[in-house]
Amino acid sequence: MDVGKSLNPAIDVGQIEGAFVMGMGLYALEEHRFGPDGHLKTSGAGKYHIPTISSIPLEMNVSLLKDSGNPQAIYSSKCIGEPPLLLSNSVFFAIESAVSAARRQAGLSPDFVLNSPATAKRIQSACGVEPCRLFKSRVARV
């Protein structure tokens, strides 16, 4: 990624990874819910699903473009948060593509609506899967 003349590459890489994970939560996990009175019911990390160690990529390959200065900025730096935040919409589009493939495999119409965030419930609905089909009713025999 082009960060200009990096003052601290380790911090820049952390910012890039953090922005991507933040966007991943925005597009795939964090659903705001409102009560009948219009007030936000999910007003904190304890009330809605944010990215955790179990929901983020195990490996993120980030590299910084070398010697790419920006003479217009202080210390020749560039912004690093917005581009990876926007890149994280690729997570949403990958989910949308997987839903499309699942619908095709199930013989369903290729037309569907999947709004962001692509929560598990919305993905299930878009795939045309009934909740009762998610669990096998077989009991293991010993």
Side-chain angles (χ1 to χ4, degrees), residues 1-9 11-12 65 67-82:
M1 185 168 153
D2 185 357
V3 297
K5 187 175 179 184
S6 180
L7 301 174
N8 187 326
I11 289 177
D12 290 341
L65 185 63
D67 301 320
S68 174
N70 180 9
Q72 304 296 324
I74 299 172
Y75 295 114
S76 195
S77 63
K78 293 183 180 178
C79 73
I80 58 170
E82 291 81 359

Side-chain angles (χ1 to χ4, degrees), residues 15-73:
Q15 290 291 310
I16 292 165
E17 290 174 344
F20 184 86
V21 169
M22 181 179 145
M24 190 184 80
L26 174 70
Y27 292 116
L29 300 170
E30 301 172 16
E31 183 175 20
H32 292 91
R33 293 196 179 112
F34 297 90
D37 59 357
H39 285 92
L40 184 63
K41 293 173 65 177
T42 52
S43 62
K47 305 248 182 179
Y48 67 100
H49 191 149
I50 61 172
T52 63
I53 192 70
S54 63
S55 62
I56 64 173
L58 294 175
E59 181 178 339
M60 295 182 78
N61 300 312
V62 177
S63 61
L64 305 178
L65 185 63
K66 303 278 187 214
D67 301 320
S68 174
N70 180 9
Q72 304 296 324

